[in-house]
Amino acid sequence: MNFEEISQLDENDHGRYMVEAIKEAIAAADEDEVPIGAVVVYNNKIIGRAHNQRETLSDPTAHAEILALTQAASYLGDWRLNGCSMYVTLEPCPMCAGALVNARLDRLVYGPADAKAGACESLYEIVNDERLNHQIEVIRDFMSEPCRALLQEFFIQKRQMGKK
């Protein structure tokens, strides 16, 4: 999928921001990272954007969501991201879902569910667990097809090259 195809997916504000997350996912794939991208939006402005960089940084916590949260917090000068929304190309894992709750994010919009590691609907529902001190509004399965296609293409290429 290229940038021209992605720009045609933009139908509304959610679409516009998810397109930006998809662009980050493409950047990850270009760096031979698992193609997951995330953006954080505050007052209709992107204040954090990132893609997976675990391989690049040799850091197990360098998920797109964590890196985007860090940028957003730096922009706002506060760890509390009240009024912010995150758009991410795959259902967040437990680490990332926990970070979203701890950041007091208002809304999470994500693409396909992740049956192996998802912590917002698939395996756990961390972002809506009433035992925690904060819950997040969630929009699931948003623009899933282009997000899923990026992941599938990436892993097909990896298998063809004999890599995990």
Side-chain angles (χ1 to χ4, degrees), residues 1 10 16 27 42 76-77 85 88 107 111-112 117 130 133 135 161:
M1 180 170 287
D10 184 5
R16 178 166 48 112
Y42 179 72
L76 292 176
S85 298
V88 62
R107 178 183 302 118
E130 292 182 3
N133 63 340
Q135 289 80 47
M161 296 185 326

Side-chain angles (χ1 to χ4, degrees), residues 22-119:
I22 291 170
K23 288 178 183 178
E24 287 293 326
I26 290 170
D30 290 346
E31 296 172 13
D32 203 30
E33 295 276 359
V34 174
I36 299 172
V39 298
V40 177
V41 177
Y42 179 72
N43 288 339
N44 297 313
K45 178 180 180 180
I46 295 174
I47 62 168
R49 65 169 55 239
H51 53 271
N52 274 5
Q53 294 188 46
R54 292 188 310 174
E55 301 297 333
T56 301
L57 299 176
S58 298
D59 180 351
T61 68
H63 289 204
E65 299 96 322
I66 300 296
L67 298 172
L69 285 175
T70 300
Q71 286 182 12
S74 178
Y75 177 88
L76 292 176
D78 194 347
W79 62 267
R80 295 170 194 87
L81 300 183
N82 297 318
C84 292
S85 298
M86 175 173 281
Y87 296 80
V88 62
T89 59
L90 184 67
E91 177 184 6
C93 72
M95 174 184 69
C96 294
L100 297 176
V101 169
N102 284 325
R104 311 295 196 271
L105 209 72
D106 283 7
R107 178 183 302 118
L108 169 64
V109 180
Y110 66 84
D114 183 352
K116 293 182 178 181

Side-chain angles (χ1 to χ4, degrees), residues 127-146:
V127 296
N128 287 311
D129 190 326
E130 292 182 3
R131 296 170 295 178
L132 300 175
N133 63 340
H134 181 75
Q135 289 80 47
I136 300 171
E137 175 191 348
V138 178
I139 299 173
R140 296 168 167 84
D141 203 35
F142 187 78
M143 292 177 61
S144 288
E145 290 312 311

